Amino acid sequence: MLKKARYVNQDLCTGCGSCAEKCPSLVVDAYNVGLGWRKAIYKYFPQGIPSVFTIDAPNCRQLGQGKKCGVCAKVCQAKAIDYEQKDEVVEIEAGAVILATGYEVFDPSVIPEYGYDRIANVVTAMEFERLLSASGPTAGHLDRPSDIAMERELEELEKEHKKVSRQVKQLEEKCGKTSQEAAEMLKACAFIEGVDLQAWVDLAARAEQMEKRIAHLKEKASSFQTAKKIAFIQCVGSRDFRFNRFCSSYCCMHSVKEAMIANEHDSEVRSTIFCMDLRAVGRNFEEYKVRGGKQSNIQYIRGRVAEITEDEAHNPVVWYESTTSRQVVHEVFDMVVLATACIPSAGTPELARILEVELDQNGFFKTHPLAPLNTSRPGVFVCGCAQGPMDIPESVAQASSAAARAAEAVSVRKAVG
Amino acid sequence: MADEIRIGVFVCDCGSNIAGYLDVKELAEYAKTLPNVVFVRENLYTCSESGINEIKAAIKEQNLNRVVVASCTPRTHEPLFRGTCAEADLNPYLFEMVNIRDQCSWVHMQEREEGTNKAKDLIRMGVAKAALLEPQQDIQSEVDQRAMVLGGGISGMTAAMALANRGYEVTLVEKAPELGGLLLKLDKLAPADIDAPELARQQAELVRGNPNIKVYTGTTVEEVQGYIGHFKITVNTDGVQQQLPAGIIIVATGADVLRPVGLFGYDGERVINQLELEQRFRTGAFRAKHVVMIQCAGARIEERKYCSRICCMVAIKNAIEIKKRSPETTVHILYRDIQAYGVENEVLFQRAKELGVLFIKYDPARPPVVEAGRVVVHHELLGRDLDLPQDLVVLSTPLIAGEDNVKISKLLRVSLDANKFFLEGHVKLKPLDFATDGIYLCGNAHYPATVREAISQALGAASRASIPLAKGVMTVEPIVSTLVDEDACRGCGLCVALCPYGALEIVRTEKGRKVRVIPVACKGCGVCAATCYQHALTVNSYTDEQITQQISAFLSA
């Protein structure tokens, strides 16, 4: 196995976080599905095990960009930073192998009619989970991505504007003239010794443009509201002849959960869940779904969404037929959440090749109907989503099951017969 | 204790997690003023190697006989600090942890002064309690390395073999005359087209052939005594009783199929359930030209709110079987949602449609009406009533809790849910354990499951059960309930009734009925101590006196 260098000594690091506080490099945070930032030295997520930090070398000034830094090593009281750490090849001998490599989330960009790439306020369920999370990029407030983007633009613009207007001021003070006067001089083809009049006038014009845009954005931002009306679209990439024919099992329930939690945070939130069948088959799930409808302002509509468009206020507009009322409707929402399919993780084919096990026609590790933990190779077992979509209780149960099988394989106490 | 109490207090910065929000220097100074405190140290990270060494050094050099660490959460670091005390030859239960991070600095990040004052209160309380701590010894209990499995269906048989194949002796108890459970009554399993009774017989043969498994059929459970590692189960075979020992018990007692008398004209003749349909497949009694299946018959309704998970696929499986036998037979499936979850089932659903099975959605507010020769259903998607001809109506009914579940739950002192299925310890993280130690759960007894899911769960339950079996010895923290005043105990049994873990029992002594604690089963939750109006019971390290002193210390600010 290849154990990649962490550049942090795992045994010394106490997980205190001083390094990340001081690190100057900001990186887009994949854990928060690209919605937030982290540092080049980081913990993947706050409760991660082991509770130690790792340096993302390509994004690190010192390790990946050839610049001088070393701030983390300076502030680390445990002396745990080790820039010289190398990747390690580790060999382990085992009598049994358990595959618990999980799954990945389907990318809905391949469904153009849902506008995931075009429309800021159409998000995937995973992105919604991060927005909803108190430890996520918006501290649990359902800020609309279009609003977040505008606020970021505003921030950048204000920074830029500060710089530009400082430059303009310097010029004004140096020459003892206002920018207006400079523009008139330029028009009159006059000049000032050693001063680029054109550049000055251009700068001043740019500053003015920025001010206009900033004022416009500020006005917009003052009326920003968190999302109140949310649409959930089920079976995005699942039960679909174009992509995956299977059902991803857990997405109906997580949409109900997300709608209920959003309503808990803000009682004004109302949700509509667009589905074909609402699959609530686990213990207490049906009751939960019904409760959601009664107590949490959730409406269930049977119908596949045909298309999502966008209005000028960046609101997604959902076009659908409600099959039980047989009406074709379009409705404006604040945000649309796509319940994306559970697909085999990208490394699965390679892992299958290395371990010499078979995959099923959906790309998950293949198991026998009556031996759900066994792969096609004796001694190699699989549990959880690596073999097919399943929810947490089932995954946890399967983990124990795979352990039982593996224990049998390596058991010292042999039964007779 | 006659000796002088000498408390050492270690206040942790936790990097900036505590020091960034509270005045830790002030806390350390404050700690010095507290009664019985002879040594105080502020650490950057008490949990670091240097911090641990300082604690050990201080215990030796300062003759400390109590240690208080004011830092993070005991959930992560209490075992570490207890271990540290033990290494310095100080009883690990003379250690008290005060949480000034999760419960203080982290929640008062904008309130430095108030937060620091609160931390002072917490430390003062911790020190007051530490002065009253008594040394304790871990409790050890040997585990009987034999297993008992209740139920001889696919779940029970799978669990039994999983344990037997690892060398453990297993007793399998089944109340029916033969092994096999519900499988014996089914026809085929989809999608692999496996003959269910044949599978049951094969498994039964393997079970009977396994030298580590002792099978008792036609046998019921009458009494269960004991606790994890020491169960004594009394079983009854044809009126003969025996007591069988086991270290762990696996509940695999399955479920029954509802016969919905009073629903949709159910009569077991013309209107039957899916189980009866499968039996007709086997006996050759199936003969129909127009079959109408009705889903959610007796499920997802006011009287029975749950979804029985498997019935949609059972209906689809049987519809495909009908089409295979006589393609001209019309099959309508009247449904509310088609629960074809997972990787394989959509393919079957598709297959059924290709074979000409017609799916009609109905609204539960307007259920289908079964009449002679026809079923009238309001087609929700068409918006009008349909008249479907029928010469056989098949109701897809839910699995309901086994009739013995209430009795078994009382015998084992485990919980049932609202629908009388057995309730697991934690819905996400302990799906196969009961809250009571040493008893595990799998298959239909837990919730409706497919054969594949049942096998998986059975293996999982066997895996969980093998943990105490493999260890052979159980070591339990001594933070357990203790009878401190035997005379005061009136044997009223209130604590026994309230204990969620079956850790208390009433026994006859020379002084009359008294409570006895089973330390190995006790989780130290304190419900018994809180309930006992005679103050006869208390929890080690959370005694009435200790808690009272903590409260006094708090109020004495």
Side-chain angles (χ1 to χ4, degrees):
Chain A
M1 299 180 304
L2 176 68
K3 182 175 178 199
K4 299 202 205 141
R6 207 187 264 277
Y7 308 104
V8 170
N9 187 326
Q10 206 162 314
D11 297 319
L12 296 176
C13 174
T14 61
C16 75
S18 305
C19 51
E21 253 184 79
K22 299 288 183 227
C23 173
S25 303
L26 278 177
V27 183
V28 170
D29 189 356
Y31 180 72
N32 277 315
V33 284
L35 295 171
W37 302 97
R38 60 159 171 86
K39 298 298 182 72
I41 187 165
Y42 70 113
K43 226 196 272 195
Y44 185 48
F45 67 102
Q47 298 88 352
I49 304 283
S51 182
V52 297
F53 279 72
T54 308
I55 300 183
D56 175 5
N59 285 308
C60 166
R61 277 195 194 180
Q62 176 121 340
L63 289 173
Q65 293 160 7
K67 301 189 196 146
K68 194 161 176 296
C69 182
V71 170
C72 54
K74 281 195 208 98
V75 298
C76 177
Q77 307 257 6
K79 302 274 169 279
I81 309 288
D82 177 6
Y83 297 121
E84 303 305 313
Q85 207 179 76
K86 298 272 175 284
D87 289 350
E88 227 184 292
V89 172
V90 180
E91 248 185 57
I92 295 184
E93 277 187 26
V97 175
I98 299 181
L99 299 170
T101 47
Y103 69 101
E104 269 172 24
V105 172
F106 175 81
D107 179 357
S109 328
V110 295
I111 306 183
E113 59 267 30
Y114 286 163
Y116 175 66
D117 278 345
R118 295 177 279 119
I119 307 174
N121 294 324
V122 172
V123 300
T124 62
M126 194 64 89
E127 288 164 354
F128 192 73
E129 289 273 339
R130 295 316 303 153
L131 288 174
L132 214 48
S133 170
S135 60
T138 57
H141 300 294
L142 281 178
D143 296 334
R144 310 199 315 150
S146 61
D147 298 349
I148 298 175
M150 253 192 253
E151 280 173 356
R152 246 183 228 157
E153 194 198 336
L154 185 54
E155 229 178 277
E156 294 293 317
L157 258 183
E158 283 182 325
K159 251 198 285 199
E160 186 66 19
H161 177 259
K162 217 161 127 186
K163 212 166 70 179
V164 169
S165 47
R166 198 173 2 112
Q167 288 173 335
V168 170
K169 219 182 204 76
Q170 280 173 352
L171 280 167
E172 287 182 340
E173 278 166 14
K174 178 169 157 194
C175 305
K177 297 205 182 300
T178 66
S179 305
Q180 182 72 341
E181 288 168 344
E184 280 161 18
M185 283 185 71
L186 186 65
K187 248 213 296 215
C189 295
F191 65 97
I192 301 180
E193 186 73 40
V195 171
D196 185 341
L197 265 180
Q198 183 65 60
W200 176 354
V201 168
D202 285 344
L203 258 181
R206 229 178 99 205
E208 207 185 306
Q209 245 186 338
M210 277 195 246
E211 273 153 37
K212 279 209 185 87
R213 178 89 184 135
I214 287 174
H216 169 82
L217 286 175
K218 275 209 166 116
E219 200 208 313
K220 277 253 142 67
S222 64
S223 63
F224 278 172
Q225 261 203 328
T226 55
K228 306 274 182 194
K229 191 170 175 218
I230 311 177
F232 290 85
I233 301 182
Q234 302 309 111
C235 306
V236 177
S238 311
R239 302 187 69 187
D240 194 324
F241 280 14
R242 299 168 296 175
F243 308 109
N244 304 293
R245 294 194 174 204
F246 57 81
C247 162
S248 293
S249 299
Y250 53 62
C251 358
C252 282
M253 287 315 295
H254 74 49
S255 288
V256 176
K257 174 201 73 171
E258 285 160 11
M260 283 187 82
I261 293 184
N263 181 269
E264 245 175 54
H265 283 200
D266 177 356
S267 55
E268 288 175 15
V269 168
R270 11 194 245 298
S271 303
T272 306
I273 302 186
F274 295 94
C275 59
M276 293 192 278
D277 300 282
L278 214 314
R279 294 186 168 165
V281 297
R283 186 204 272 290
N284 288 332
F285 288 178
E286 172 71 21
E287 294 89 322
Y288 185 71
K289 170 194 124 195
V290 169
R291 200 169 86 222
K294 291 199 184 131
Q295 295 175 3
S296 302
N297 248 322
I298 303 178
Q299 203 192 11
Y300 300 103
I301 292 187
R302 185 182 181 277
R304 283 194 87 136
V305 168
E307 194 182 359
I308 306 179
T309 55
E310 196 182 15
D311 69 12
E312 300 102 32
H314 298 286
N315 297 319
V317 182
V318 174
W319 299 73
Y320 65 93
E321 178 197 0
S322 162
T323 55
T324 47
S325 64
R326 292 169 301 286
Q327 289 180 312
V328 175
V329 178
H330 67 275
E331 216 178 315
V332 180
F333 289 90
D334 295 335
M335 209 189 280
V336 173
V337 182
L338 304 177
T340 42
C342 165
I343 56 175
S345 48
T348 305
E350 177 64 8
L351 194 57
R353 188 192 63 80
I354 296 174
L355 285 166
E356 291 169 38
V357 295
E358 283 172 39
L359 300 178
D360 69 13
Q361 78 257 44
N362 298 305
F364 294 102
F365 290 105
K366 187 172 186 187
T367 57
H368 183 276
L370 294 178
L373 292 319
N374 294 43
T375 63
S376 55
R377 182 175 173 186
V380 180
F381 307 100
V382 60
C383 60
C385 286
Q387 65 155 275
M390 59 184 71
D391 62 10
I392 294 176
E394 223 187 312
S395 301
V396 171
Q398 275 218 344
S400 289
S401 320
R405 277 276 176 254
E408 239 180 285
V410 302
S411 186
V412 180
R413 308 172 69 167
K414 280 275 176 263
V416 176
Chain B
M1 297 206 58
D3 297 341
E4 178 202 353
I5 306 287
R6 297 177 60 82
I7 302 180
V9 180
F10 298 82
V11 191
C12 191
D13 283 357
C14 197
S16 62
N17 282 294
I18 299 178
Y21 306 100
L22 308 178
D23 190 337
V24 183
K25 280 216 174 356
E26 206 182 307
L27 292 176
E29 285 308 307
Y30 178 73
K32 288 183 186 160
T33 68
L34 295 171
N36 297 314
V37 173
V38 301
F39 180 81
V40 175
R41 172 69 114 233
E42 181 188 342
N43 296 118
L44 187 57
Y45 300 107
T46 314
C47 59
S48 64
E49 215 177 310
S50 56
I52 299 288
N53 288 336
E54 270 182 25
I55 295 180
K56 287 199 269 196
I59 291 174
K60 292 223 153 59
E61 289 156 19
Q62 306 291 332
N63 250 326
L64 300 177
N65 51 29
R66 302 285 188 284
V67 171
V68 174
V69 171
S71 61
C72 55
T73 168
R75 280 181 300 145
T76 50
H77 284 87
E78 186 170 63
L80 173 69
F81 294 132
R82 281 206 184 134
T84 305
C85 292
E87 281 167 30
D89 294 323
L90 180 65
N91 185 291
Y93 296 99
L94 293 173
F95 165 77
E96 178 72 10
M97 190 142 175
V98 176
N99 186 338
I100 57 171
R101 188 193 68 179
D102 310 45
Q103 294 177 1
C104 196
S105 68
W106 273 357
V107 294
H108 301 298
M109 285 179 177
Q110 322 292 341
E111 303 161 284
R112 195 180 175 83
E113 202 188 317
E114 291 95 324
T116 305
N117 284 338
K118 174 173 163 180
K120 285 184 188 167
D121 288 342
L122 291 170
I123 293 174
R124 185 172 69 253
M125 290 162 74
V127 166
K129 181 177 168 193
L132 295 169
L133 289 173
E134 302 274 305
Q136 313 276 354
Q137 300 303 325
D138 280 344
I139 299 167
Q140 297 238 344
S141 178
E142 267 195 28
V143 168
D144 185 331
Q145 289 178 302
R146 291 173 282 193
M148 158 121 357
V149 177
L150 302 179
I154 188 67
S155 298
M157 292 194 286
T158 304
M161 283 202 286
L163 286 172
N165 287 342
R166 282 172 64 189
Y168 297 108
E169 274 177 49
V170 183
T171 307
L172 180 56
V173 174
E174 165 57 51
K175 80 174 178 191
E178 35 178 44
L179 295 174
L182 210 49
L183 276 182
L184 293 169
K185 301 186 189 162
L186 302 179
D187 180 29
K188 299 247 184 55
L189 303 175
D193 219 31
I194 295 169
D195 188 300
E198 187 51 40
L199 172 65
R201 277 188 279 275
Q202 281 170 4
Q203 295 294 100
E205 224 180 278
L206 284 172
V207 166
R208 287 200 184 275
N210 192 311
N212 283 340
I213 306 180
K214 188 126 195 273
V215 178
Y216 290 81
T217 48
T219 302
T220 54
V221 175
E222 297 307 319
E223 211 193 321
V224 177
Q225 283 177 346
Y227 47 94
I228 178 177
H230 301 271
F231 288 112
K232 300 252 180 295
I233 302 109
T234 307
V235 299
N236 181 327
T237 317
D238 288 333
V240 177
Q241 293 209 349
Q242 329 173 36
Q243 204 185 55
L244 303 170
I248 59 95
I249 300 176
I250 297 182
V251 174
T253 50
D256 294 325
V257 178
L258 176 70
R259 297 178 74 238
V261 178
L263 273 180
F264 298 113
Y266 175 77
D267 61 6
E269 284 285 333
R270 296 219 147 100
V271 180
I272 61 176
N273 67 19
Q274 293 284 357
L275 191 64
E276 287 157 345
L277 175 63
E278 295 204 19
Q279 280 160 358
R280 288 192 187 188
F281 286 156
R282 290 205 86 80
T283 59
F286 171 72
R287 217 167 279 114
K289 289 282 152 232
H290 302 284
V291 177
V292 175
M293 294 189 180
I294 305 180
Q295 301 305 105
C296 308
R300 299 177 70 190
I301 53 177
E302 200 48 48
E303 307 83 68
R304 203 175 288 106
K305 298 191 169 124
Y306 61 94
C307 163
S308 188
R309 191 180 180 94
I310 62 173
C311 356
C312 280
M313 291 320 298
V314 169
I316 287 174
K317 171 190 76 170
N318 289 339
I320 292 174
E321 180 65 22
I322 292 174
K323 283 296 193 183
K324 261 199 259 173
R325 286 162 176 252
S326 61
E328 347 65 63
T329 300
T330 68
V331 182
H332 285 90
I333 297 185
L334 313 185
Y335 73 97
R336 288 168 51 182
D337 289 279
I338 291 290
Q339 311 294 41
Y341 62 92
V343 213
E344 309 173 310
N345 292 334
E346 283 289 331
V347 173
L348 269 182
F349 183 18
Q350 197 56 31
R351 178 112 189 85
K353 287 190 248 188
E354 282 163 13
L355 288 172
V357 176
L358 295 167
F359 290 84
I360 296 178
K361 186 166 162 71
Y362 77 86
D363 182 345
R366 298 173 72 156
V369 177
V370 176
E371 294 169 5
R374 67 182 191 153
V375 173
V376 181
V377 61
H378 183 81
H379 193 315
E380 215 188 334
L381 307 183
L382 284 181
R384 56 192 179 86
D385 286 349
L386 290 184
D387 222 323
L388 303 174
Q390 60 93 347
D391 55 3
L392 180 67
V393 174
V394 184
L395 304 178
S396 293
T397 55
L399 282 169
I400 53 173
E403 56 192 359
D404 292 329
N405 281 18
V406 174
K407 172 183 163 202
I408 296 172
S409 79
K410 290 208 175 89
L411 290 178
L412 293 172
R413 280 160 309 187
V414 294
S415 313
L416 296 176
D417 72 3
N419 298 306
K420 308 246 186 323
F421 286 99
F422 288 102
L423 187 59
E424 62 271 51
H426 188 287
V427 71
K428 299 279 186 211
L429 299 177
K430 279 197 166 169
L432 304 166
D433 296 35
F434 279 104
T436 312
D437 279 340
I439 312 183
Y440 309 89
L441 175 59
C442 56
N444 279 342
H446 164 242
Y447 194 72
T450 62
V451 170
R452 192 184 152 90
E453 288 162 1
I455 291 174
S456 182
Q457 287 178 29
L459 290 169
S463 178
R464 299 291 302 158
S466 70
I467 296 174
L469 291 180
K471 286 191 182 157
V473 173
M474 284 210 46
T475 304
V476 177
E477 257 188 12
I479 315 292
V480 294
S481 181
T482 313
L483 184 60
V484 290
D485 191 350
E486 202 192 3
D487 292 327
C489 173
R490 304 244 290 268
C492 70
L494 201 51
C495 56
V496 177
L498 289 171
C499 175
Y501 304 107
L504 296 164
E505 51 187 3
I506 298 291
V507 293
R508 292 207 185 291
T509 70
E510 314 107 30
K511 296 189 183 173
R513 286 162 50 97
K514 299 287 176 191
V515 73
R516 186 169 71 191
V517 180
I518 304 164
V520 171
C522 174
K523 298 249 182 272
C525 74
V527 168
C528 55
T531 303
C532 181
Y533 50 86
Q534 294 285 92
H535 299 286
L537 279 171
T538 194
V539 178
N540 288 343
S541 295
Y542 289 90
T543 64
D544 286 352
E545 208 206 331
Q546 285 162 359
I547 296 180
T548 312
Q549 286 307 316
Q550 277 191 293
I551 298 173
S552 295
F554 170 66
L555 293 170
S556 74

